[in-house]
Amino acid sequence: MSTENTTLKDGAALYGYLVAFDKVDELLVAAAKVRDAGYKKWDAHTPFVIHGLDAAMGVKKTVLPYIVFLAGLTGTAAGILLQWWTNAVDYPFLISGKPLFSLPANIPVAFETTILFAAISALVGMLALNGLPQLSHPLFSSRSFKRVTDDRFFISIEARDPLFDTAKTRELLESVSDQPVEEIEDLS
Amino acid sequence: MPPMKNNNETGLTYWQSLDELASTPEFQEAVQREFPGDDWDRLPPATRRQFLKVMGASLAMAGLTACRWPKEEIVPFAHRPEGRTPGVPEHFATSMELGGIALGMLVTSFDGRPIKAEGNRLHPDSLGALTAIAQADILQLYDPDRSRRLLLREGGQQYVKGWSDFEAVAAEYFAGDGTGVAVLTGGSSSPTRAMVRDQFLKAHPEAGWYEYEPISRDNEREGTRLVFGTPLRAQPKVDAAGVIACFDADPLFDHPSSLRLAREFAAARHPETGAGARLFVTESSFSLTGVRADHRVAVPSSRVPVVLARVAHLLVAEHHLELPAAAAGYAGAAGQEISEQEIDFAKLLAADLAGHRGSGVILVGPRQEPAVHAFAAVLNQVLGSTLEYTADPDPDRPSHIEAIGELAAAMASGSVKTLLILGGNPAYDAPADLQFKDHLANVPLSIHLSLYDDETSQHCTWHLPQAHGLEAWGDGAAWDGTLTMRQPLIAPLYDGRSASEVLALAAGLRVTSGYELVRENLRESASAVDFEGFWRRILHDGTVEGTAWDIVQPRLDPGRLAVAVDGLRSLLDADLPSADRPEVVLTADSRIWDGRFANNGWLQELPEALTKVTWDNALLVSPATARELRIDDGEIVEIESEGATIETPVFVLPGQARASMTLALGYGRMAAGQVGNEVGVDAYRLRTTKAPHVISGATVRGTGRSYSLATTQDHFAIDTSGFKERNRRVGELVREASLDAYLANPEVFHDHEHYPPLISLWKDHEYEGEQWGMAIDLNTCIGCNACVVACQAENNIPVVGREQVLNQREMQWIRLDRYFKTEPGLGSDEIDNAEVVFQPMTCVHCENAPCEQVCPVAATQHTTDGLNAMIYNRCVGTRYCSNNCPFKVRRFNFFNYHKDLAETSKMQFNPEVTVRARGVMEKCTFCVQRIEAVRLPARNDNRPIADGEIVPACAQTCPTQAITFGNLNDPKSLVSKSREEKRSYAMLAELNIRPRAHYLGRLSNRADDAGPDARGVPHGEAESHGKETA
Amino acid sequence: MSTPVSYLDNTGDDPAVRARLVVGDNDFHSVTEKVCGIVEQPKPPKFWWVAFAASSSLTLVLFACIGYLVTTGIGVWGLQVPVGWGYAIVNFVFWVGIGHAGTLISAILFLLRQRWRTSINRFAEAMTIFAVVCAGIFPGIHVGRIWFAYWLFPIPNQMSMWPNFRSPLLWDVFAVGTYATVSLLFWYMGMIPDLASIRDRATTKLRFYIYGVLSLGWRSSNRHWHRFEFAYLLLASLATPLVLSVHSVVSFDFAVSIMPGWHTTIFPPYFVAGAIFSGFAMVVTLIIPTRKFFGLEEIITARHLENMAKIMLATGMMVGLAYSTEFFVAWYSGNTYEAFTFLNRAFGPYAWAYWTMVTCNVLVPQIFWFRKLRNKTLVLWVASILINVGMWFERFVIVVSSLSRDYLPTSWGYYRPTAIDVLTFVGSFGLFFTLFLLFVRFLPMVGMAEVKGVMPQAHLDRPGHRGHGDYHGDIAGVEVV
C-alpha cells in the first residue's frame, strides 16, 4: 500500500479524506460508524452494489420512482392526444366506416408512448439526481481510487461537511480502517 | 442515297431530325435493322419539342376535321382553331373495318389526340358497345414500330424513299392495259374503294383483281349460294328467339354483328321480361356462346354435321317436319354411329325446335363446310327461323381461298409482272401449300402498302407506309349494309396513305386524296340536295340511317338442294378423329385476330377468355385425350400434318371435344414489331387451301419438354385439396340457378347464405348524398373481355409483359374470373367435360373496406360519395391493403412500367387519369374522373345528376349491358332497382365488408330440368312479373 | 455438496445445493481481469478477424441488395398479388423475435430474481439491440417508395396529413421504436459501471478518454448506486410489459387483418412465446462459441446453458401448443375458409415449409428433456441453430402460406423468392454478426458489477434479499435506520 499522496501539496484546497477497505464487512461497519458520527457530506464507493450499505450509511429513498410515474402518465396522455388530434380533429378521414376516434384502436400506441416517456425519464432522472455526467472529480486524482471499479471499497468524507475536522475526522477513519487515510486535493 | 424528302407538311418538321440522321452510320444501321428507327431514344434531344410541334399540327388537323373542312397546312396550336376549347375532350364518329365489315365507333379526342374508342350508339352492329379488338386498335395508331417511311428494296439493298419518289415511278409501273398487273387486297365494304377499284379496272382492263382475308365467313356465303343459287348474307336475330341452336357457331362473340346479337341475347335472357332464348351449342372447343349454353355437347368439328343431321332426322321422324323432297331424301344421317350424349342433345334440341317453330334459329359457324350451312339454311327456311337474308354486296367475288389460290398460280406461272398488295400480310397468312412467299420472289415488281414493314413487305420491292384507320378518310358498310363513315382523328403520324389513295394513284386518277374520293363517291350515290348539309350530318352520326340492304325472301332451289345434301352426306361419312389421328381446328385468335394485331400490347396481354393465357397461343386439348396421349398441361407437343410440323405448348382445357384440338392463328410473327415478334407459334404453317379450318388426321406427339404459359389465373398446377376447395367455393361465389327454380323460389340465390347476423361494434357511418354503386349481372355477362380493354384504355393501365404476368403481376383493374364447374366428386385427374362461368371482378368498393384501415398512411380512404379512393401520391407502397383485400383486386407497380414507353404511346394516355409511379398501389376507381366530369357541371348548373349520366368505361362498352352503375341513394336509379332484384347478392357478405358492387345471379334454362309444361311457363310468368315490377 | 465431475460443471439437480454462479477460484479482481482483458488486448485474436471479414462482407452484400432494390423497384423481390409480403416481413418478425430473449433475460429474469442471469444479460441485451437494428431495416426497405417511408411517422409534412392510427403497421412503428430505444437505454445504463472499470484500468490516453466519456464520470458512489439500482429496477419493470407488447403488436399486423390464417386471436401470446423461444436459441447459438473462444467458461457456466435449454424446452412446447390450437380452432370455428387455410398449410403447396417448422420447433427441443443431451454443448448448439431455422419458417408459413390462398380461388398464387430476397436475408445476418463482433471487441460483454455482486465473496449465502446485485442479508453489528 503506497503512502504517497497521503499529504496535501501546499496551497491546494482540501476536498476531503479517502480511506480504502478490502472487505465488504469492514466497509459496512465503518460506514455505520461514520453515519453515527453524524457526518452528512460523505460517501462510500464500491465496485458493485452492496446491500445493507444504504442502511449503514442512512441513505434516504430516492424520489426517482415518482418522476418516472409522472413521466409515464404524461406519455399516456401524449399518446392519446396525438391520435385523437391528428385523426379526429386536424385531418379527419373516413376509414373502413369506423369512428374517427375510438379508444381500442389507440391503446397500443398510447401504451408504447407511456413506456417510452417513463423509460427515458428513468435514465435521465437517475443521471440528473446523481449529478452525472461529471467527468472530473477530486477523487479521480487518487491512484488507489482507480481500484474502486475493480475490487476495492472506499469511504470519503468531504471537507465541506460541518463536522469535518482535519484531526478528528482522520482519527475516525484511521480507527475504522487499517489502511492509510488519503488527503484528496480539491479541484482548483 | 438521297436523304428522304418529304412533301407532306405535317411530317416535315418532324422528320427533319431523321434527315440529319440519314447520313450517320447509326441511321444506315437502323435502316438495315428489321424496324428502322423504332428506337426513339436514339433521336436527338430536339425530337421531343419538334414532336410536340407535330402534335400541334395533328391537333389543328383534328380541330379542322371537327369543323369538317380539309386544310393541308399546319396551324400551330398557339392560335386556337375555330370552335374548340383546349382541354375539353371531343367525340368524333368514325369506324373501323375488320375483314371487310365496318364497325361504327365514337372516338374521344383530347386536344387533337384520339385517346379512346367507344361504340357508336347509332351503328347497327355496335349499339354503343365495342369489341376488345376495336378498342385496342387505337394503341396500334400510336405504335412506335409502325413503318414511317417508304422503302425500296433492290438487289439486297434497302433505300429510304419519299412518296414523291414513288409517285414518280408509279405512272410507269401502271401504264398500259394492265397486262401482268395484279392487285391483292383485303376484303372491303367501302363504296369508295369499290368506286376506285372500278376506275382502276377501267384504266387497266387486263389487270387481275384478288381479294384475300385469312378469316372470313365465306363458307356461310358459299352455303347460301348452294341452296339459293346466289350468295346471300344471313342476318340472324335472337331477341325474339325461343331456341338458338349453334353448330360450331359463336354468334355472341365471333360474328360481325356479335355486339348486336349479344345485346339481343341478353334482353332475351332477362328472367322477368325475356323470351327465354334457350341456347343449344354443339362445338369442338369452348366458344363464349358455348360457355353461356344451356345445353352443350362437345364434339369434334368434323362431327358437328352428324349432330345437325340427327336433329333434322328427329325433326322429320318424330316431329313431322316437312322437308323438301330432295332434302328429305337423305337417310344416311340416321344411320351414323352417334354417342348417347349426342343423341340426348339432339332429342332435346329437336323437340325444342319443333316447339318453337317461327321463334327458333339454327346457326352454323364459319369453320363448317358450305354443305352444312346449306343444310342448316334449308332447316331454317322450313322452320321459319328468326333469320333473314340480304343480298351479298359482291356476289361474283370468288371465295378468298380461291382468290389467293388463283393469284399464287398466276405468280408461279410468271404471268404476274407487277403485284400491288394493299394491306394484308399474305407472305405470313396465306395458306402454306401456296408458298406465297416463294412465288413473291418471282414477281419482278411487288409493292406492299402496310402499317408495318412486315413479313410481306420484306419480300416486296416497295414498302409503302399505310395510314391507320384513324388517320385516313374512308367509308364502309355494316354487316347489314348500313353505310358507315370513317374520318381521321389525327393527321398521319407516320406519313401513311390509305389503300384507296394508293389505288387511286395506281389508277392514275385526278384526285387521290381520300377526302376528295369519299366525297366524290358520295356525290354520285347520294341524291342529297344540300350535299354539304348531308355530309356534315353523316360525319356527325357516323352512319346513314336506312342504307341497310333490303331483306330478300330467298326461294329454295330444289335442283341445288340435292347437291347440298350430297355434300352433307359425304361429310357424314368422313371417319371419326381419334386421339392418335386427332383433328386440329385452326381458329382466329380472340385477341390478335389473324395476326394483324400481334404488336398490340393490350391485346397480347388480354387474358384469353377460357384459358386466361396471355402472350401466347396454345394447343387446346381435352383432358381425356391428353391422358390418352400422355401429354401434360404445359408440355410442348409436335403437330404434324401434310409434312408440315410445328411445336406448340399444350393447354389442357376441360370441355374441349375429345380427339379435337384447337390452335389459334395469328401468332409466331417474325416481323410484327418489338411487342409481337416471336410470340406464340405460327399455326398458318399447318393451314392449306384444302383444309383451311379443320385439319383431320394430324399426328400430335409429346416432346417431354415443358413451357410455362403466362396465365392470369390458376398460376400453378393445383393440388387435390386445393382443387376440392375451389369446387366447393364456386357455388357460393358465383351463384347460379335454373330459371324454373328461380321463378318457383326467388330466394333461391340466398338459400346457401348462413352466417351470424352482421353487427358493428360502433354506430355505422351515415352515407348521405350521391352514393355510387354497381351491379354486375352474371346472367348476361358473356366474358368477352371488352370491359378489360375499355378499362385499360380509360385508366392508363400499363402493359407489363409476359415475364411479369408469369410473376402474377398483371395490372388490369377488372378481370374476368373463370370457374369450371364439374360433377361433384370428380378428382382433378378425372375431369373431362365441364361447365364454365365467368365473373367480372373489380374493386367492389366495400363500405367497411378492409384495405383502408390497414394503410398506415391513409393512402386509401372513403370519399363522401362512398368510393374507396386510392390516393396515389400519398401511397408509400406497403402492399398491406392488397394483402387484406379479400378479392385481391388491387394492383401494385412493382417497377416503373412506363419507363421505356415511346413518346407516341404516351399520346394515348388519358390526361384525366394519373399515370401511376413505381411503388404505388392502384385499383378500380369506378372511373372517378368520369364521375367528376359529370358532377362538376351538374353542380355548376345546380341540378341533380341524372341516372345513367355517369357511365364507367367498363359499363359503357359492355355489349350486354351487364354492368349497371349509379346512385344507391336514389331508389329510382337502375342500380338501386337491380339491388332490389331477388337475384342480387354481395360476395363474401359474411365478412361484413358491405361491397358497393353487387352481383345478379346467373340463370340457366335447361330443357330437361323444366317440367313437361314448364317450357311454356317462363313466358307467362315473365309477362306477369314484368307487370308487377313495372 | 455433490462433487462435480469437472470443476467447470456446476450443473446438478440437488435442490439442497445452490449451484455456484461463478466457478473456479475467482475473486473480484480476476473477474475484472477476465472481462476487461478481452477489451484491452492490443489486437483481437485471429478467429475474430476471420469472423469479422466474413460478416462485414456479408453486410456489404446486404447494402448492395438494398441499393439495387431502391434503384429498381420492389419487383426485384418475388412478391406479387396475392402474396404482397414475403421475405422482408418474415425477416422483420424473425429478427424482432430474436431480440426478445435479451430483454427477457435482463428484465424479466431480473424481476424474478434469477441470479444466474447476471453473467449473460449484457450479452443478451447487446444481441437484442443488434437484432432490432436488423429488424428495423426490413419494414423500412419493403415499402414501394422508400424515400417516403418517413410518412409513417407523425411528423408534419407538405400534405399536412397525418398517419392512420388504426393501422397495425403504425402501431409497429411505435412499438418497435420504443422497444429499440428502451433496450438501448437499459443496455447502456447497465454498462456504465463496467465502462468505468475499463476507464480506470486504461493504459492508453485514447481508451481513457473514450471510456471516460462513455462512463459519464461514474465514481461508484453508493449514493449513486442507490438511484442507479432504482432506475435499473424501474427500467426492468417497464421493459417487461414492453417486451410482451412488442411482439403482440407485431402479431397484430396479422391478427387485425381479415385473412384466414392471419385473423387469429391467439397470435399475441403465440408470437411472444415464439419470440422468447427463438431469442434464447440465438443467445445459445452465439454464446457457446463466444465463451469458448474468450475463455469465459468460468463465468458463463454450463449451468447457464442448461437453464437456457430448459427455457427453450418450455417455450418450444408453448409454440407447439399454439400450432395445435390453431388447427383445433380452425376446425371448431366452422369457418370453412379458416379450415381450408390450415388444411392447406399442412398438405398444400407449402407443406414442406410447414413440416420443417414443426420438426425444428416442436420435435427438436424435446431432446432437452434429457440432462445428458442438454448438457452436451455441441448438441445444444446444433439444436439451437435448428430452432432458429424452424422459427424463421414459422414466420414464413404464417405470412406466405396464408396469403397464397385466400378467399377467391381465382387469385390464388405461389410465391417464389428471388436471389435478391435470399441475399438480403443472408446479408442481414452479416450486419448482425458484424455489430456483434464489434461489441465483443470493444465493450465489456459480461456485466462485471453484477457478477461480482453474486459471487461468494459478496456474502451471498445469507437469507433475505433486496434489489439489484442480489446481495442477501444484513450486516452484523449494524442497526438499520
Side-chain angles (χ1 to χ4, degrees), chain B residues 719 729 809 854 879-880 918, chain C residues 70 77 84 167 253 405-406:
Chain B
D719 55 295
R729 286 185 193 179
R809 293 170 181 176
V854 296
R879 301 179 301 289
Y880 200 175
R918 174 193 126 195
Chain C
V70 175
W77 290 345
S167 167
D253 288 345
R405 288 185 167 185
D406 64 339

Side-chain angles (χ1 to χ4, degrees), chain A residues 23-94:
Chain A
K23 295 256 172 309
V24 175
D25 292 9
E26 299 169 11
L27 173 71
L28 286 162
V29 176
K33 287 225 175 74
V34 176
R35 176 197 67 198
D36 298 342
Y39 287 94
K40 291 278 165 288
K41 301 215 175 311
W42 66 286
D43 206 339
H45 305 269
T46 60
F48 54 90
V49 177
I50 292 170
H51 292 288
L53 186 53
D54 291 351
M57 287 177 62
V59 176
K60 275 194 244 55
K61 192 160 177 289
T62 171
V63 300
L64 192 59
Y66 303 100
I67 298 174
V68 172
F69 178 69
L70 289 177
L73 286 185
T74 322
T76 322
I80 300 277
L81 283 173
L82 173 72
Q83 298 177 78
W84 166 76
W85 186 72
T86 54
N87 277 190
V89 179
D90 184 45
Y91 198 120
F93 32 65
L94 176 53

Side-chain angles (χ1 to χ4, degrees), chain C residues 182-403:
Chain C
V182 174
S183 309
L184 200 62
L185 298 181
F186 202 26
W187 183 56
Y188 175 64
M189 189 178 117
M191 218 163 16
I192 291 174
D194 296 345
L195 292 169
S197 306
I198 301 176
R199 173 199 64 197
D200 291 346
R201 295 161 47 90
T203 50
T204 70
K205 269 221 154 359
L206 182 66
R207 195 181 295 152
F208 176 76
Y209 282 118
I210 290 176
Y211 290 95
V213 169
L214 286 177
S215 57
L216 306 175
W218 180 261
R219 52 182 190 275
S220 309
S221 147
N222 189 58
R223 299 179 188 280
H224 291 183
W225 274 122
H226 171 72
R227 304 193 183 92
F228 179 93
E229 206 181 330
F230 260 105
Y232 200 94
L233 181 65
L234 289 163
L235 276 182
S237 16
L238 288 168
T240 303
L242 174 63
V243 70
L244 298 182
S245 83
V246 171
H247 230 51
S248 303
V249 168
V250 169
S251 78
F252 288 160
D253 288 345
F254 310 104
V256 168
S257 82
I258 62 165
M259 285 296 115
W262 278 16
H263 185 70
T264 317
T265 43
I266 67 162
F267 264 10
Y270 163 16
F271 268 52
V272 171
I276 294 163
F277 185 43
S278 62
F280 268 93
M282 184 58 86
V283 175
V284 171
T285 314
L286 292 178
I287 216 162
I288 286 178
T290 317
R291 73 195 269 271
K292 178 145 197 60
F293 287 132
F294 291 106
L296 293 170
E297 285 94 342
E298 294 181 351
I299 299 172
I300 302 167
T301 67
R303 174 57 172 253
H304 290 103
L305 301 183
E306 185 182 24
N307 285 354
M308 290 195 275
K310 288 175 182 169
I311 291 185
M312 284 192 275
L313 177 58
T315 47
M317 287 166 72
M318 293 184 204
V319 171
L321 176 67
Y323 297 162
S324 43
T325 313
E326 278 187 316
F327 270 82
F328 172 75
V329 171
W331 164 76
Y332 187 69
S333 67
N335 178 333
T336 53
Y337 293 108
E338 186 84 359
F340 172 70
T341 300
F342 285 91
L343 191 71
N344 184 51
R345 265 187 200 176
F347 308 107
Y350 283 110
W352 58 273
Y354 181 79
W355 293 112
T356 316
M357 165 189 100
V358 171
T359 317
C360 296
N361 294 352
V362 183
L363 302 185
V364 169
Q366 301 309 318
I367 65 172
F368 297 149
W369 284 110
F370 309 101
R371 212 174 133 226
K372 290 231 164 347
L373 288 172
R374 68 170 178 259
N375 284 332
K376 285 220 168 32
T377 319
L378 185 64
V379 175
L380 184 58
W381 193 63
V382 173
S384 72
I385 290 172
L386 287 176
I387 291 171
N388 282 316
V389 174
M391 283 310 294
W392 187 87
F393 270 102
E394 175 188 302
R395 278 59 175 254
F396 181 85
V397 166
I398 291 171
V399 173
V400 173
S401 82
S402 312
L403 282 177

Side-chain angles (χ1 to χ4, degrees), chain B residues 627-641:
Chain B
R627 282 194 288 273
E628 205 171 334
L629 294 173
R630 283 185 219 74
I631 302 172
D632 297 333
D633 194 24
E635 181 175 349
I636 296 178
V637 294
E638 193 179 71
I639 310 175
E640 192 181 346
S641 163

Side-chain angles (χ1 to χ4, degrees), chain C residues 400-450:
Chain C
V400 173
S401 82
S402 312
L403 282 177
S404 68
R405 288 185 167 185
D406 64 339
Y407 291 94
L408 302 194
T410 47
S411 49
W412 287 357
Y414 190 82
Y415 162 84
R416 281 178 203 75
T418 62
I420 304 296
D421 277 308
V422 179
L423 288 175
T424 314
F425 175 48
V426 175
S428 68
F429 274 95
L431 178 61
F432 180 74
F433 286 118
T434 309
L435 293 168
F436 185 76
L437 286 162
L438 291 171
F439 160 69
V440 297
R441 173 74 181 96
F442 295 109
L443 293 172
M445 76 172 98
V446 172
M448 292 175 282
E450 297 191 53

Side-chain angles (χ1 to χ4, degrees), chain B residues 712-719 721-723 725-726 728-730 732-733 804 807-810 815 817-819 839 841 850 852-859 861 871-880 882-896 917-920 987-988 990-991 993, chain C residues 69-86 88 142-149 151-152 157 159 161-170 252-254 256-259 262 336-337 340-341 343-344 347-349 403-416 418:
Chain B
T712 60
Q713 209 180 300
D714 321 324
H715 280 271
F716 60 102
I718 189 132
D719 55 295
S721 59
F723 176 81
E725 180 66 9
R726 189 167 62 188
R728 198 191 58 71
R729 286 185 193 179
V730 176
E732 283 176 37
L733 300 174
Q804 294 298 303
N807 287 343
Q808 299 168 245
R809 293 170 181 176
E810 61 271 9
R815 63 175 198 257
D817 285 353
R818 178 262 293 129
Y819 295 93
Q839 180 171 48
M841 192 71 242
E852 289 172 359
Q853 78 168 62
V854 296
C855 176
V857 293
Q861 37 177 279
I871 308 157
Y872 302 128
N873 62 344
R874 175 67 176 174
C875 178
V876 299
T878 65
R879 301 179 301 289
Y880 200 175
S882 171
N883 289 348
N884 208 31
C885 173
F887 306 99
K888 289 291 176 283
V889 290
R890 289 176 159 264
R891 298 283 175 258
F892 187 68
N893 289 273
F894 284 95
F895 293 109
N896 178 356
R918 174 193 126 195
V920 168
M987 267 175 106
L988 301 178
E990 62 268 36
L991 298 176
I993 50 180
Chain C
L69 174 82
V70 175
T71 51
T72 318
I74 295 295
V76 303
W77 290 345
L79 300 174
Q80 20 95 325
V81 178
V83 184
W85 284 356
H142 101 293
V143 298
R145 300 201 291 173
I146 292 142
W147 47 98
F148 286 137
W151 284 348
L152 268 74
N157 58 46
M159 275 179 245
M161 211 175 147
W162 299 102
N164 168 23
F165 281 98
R166 299 168 192 80
S167 167
L169 273 190
L170 208 65
F252 288 160
D253 288 345
F254 310 104
V256 168
S257 82
I258 62 165
M259 285 296 115
W262 278 16
T336 53
Y337 293 108
F340 172 70
T341 300
L343 191 71
N344 184 51
F347 308 107
L403 282 177
S404 68
R405 288 185 167 185
D406 64 339
Y407 291 94
L408 302 194
T410 47
S411 49
W412 287 357
Y414 190 82
Y415 162 84
R416 281 178 203 75
T418 62

